[in-house]
Amino acid sequence: HVQLVESGGGSVQAGGSLRLSCAASGGTYSHYCMAWFRQGPGKEREGVAAIGSNGRTNYADSMKGRFTISIDNVKKTLYLQMNSLTPEDTSMYYCAASRSYICGLSTDFGYWGQGTQVTVS
């Protein structure tokens, strides 16, 4: 059973940066797909970025150029570097994981973390 724990959220001024982390435990797989999603107040959940075990990444159009997803396979930790933050980025950010060979923001993710709040003012 895979467990995901996010950290790194907080409050930041517009134009600032944050790096989110997601520590994974409880499973070891030769292939995986991991992603970040977010859900703002009164909004539907939306995909931010995904990364597969082949290192290939996918980003939502609105995040391209500002957000970078990466993974440290030794530490089993997923990261999301967020730059040039705006108040519209205020959301709860969730880490998700899947054993799917096909990796993207439409992948069926079976494992989710509890989320970390990001507030931009």
Side-chain angles (χ1 to χ4, degrees), residues 64-103:
K64 288 179 181 177
R66 296 192 303 126
F67 292 5
T68 303
I69 189 171
S70 62
I71 192 163
D72 184 325
N73 288 307
V74 175
K75 295 182 179 179
K76 294 186 179 180
T77 301
L78 179 72
Y79 300 101
L80 183 68
Q81 178 67 43
M82 305 186 294
N83 299 325
S84 303
L85 288 163
T86 74
E88 288 68 37
D89 295 314
T90 294
S91 290
M92 184 71 81
Y93 284 74
Y94 297 91
C95 170
S98 168
R99 287 178 279 174
S100 173
Y101 281 99
I102 299 174
C103 188

Side-chain angles (χ1 to χ4, degrees), residues 1 17 38 103:
H1 180 68
S17 299
R38 70 183 188 183
C103 188

Side-chain angles (χ1 to χ4, degrees), residues 20 34-39 45-51 57-64 66-69 79-82 89 91-94 104-106 109:
L20 305 183
M34 296 192 73
W36 289 98
F37 287 79
R38 70 183 188 183
Q39 187 166 17
R45 186 176 65 195
E46 63 174 337
V48 175
I51 185 168
T57 58
N58 289 277
Y59 292 90
D61 288 343
S62 60
M63 314 322 170
K64 288 179 181 177
R66 296 192 303 126
F67 292 5
T68 303
I69 189 171
Y79 300 101
L80 183 68
Q81 178 67 43
M82 305 186 294
D89 295 314
S91 290
M92 184 71 81
Y93 284 74
Y94 297 91
L105 293 174
S106 298
F109 292 94

Side-chain angles (χ1 to χ4, degrees), residues 10-54:
S11 297
V12 64
Q13 291 188 336
S17 299
L18 279 175
R19 187 176 81 155
L20 305 183
S21 299
C22 172
S25 62
T28 302
Y29 306 103
S30 59
H31 60 275
Y32 58 80
C33 176
M34 296 192 73
W36 289 98
F37 287 79
R38 70 183 188 183
Q39 187 166 17
K43 298 181 180 179
E44 293 187 356
R45 186 176 65 195
E46 63 174 337
V48 175
I51 185 168
S53 50
N54 59 4

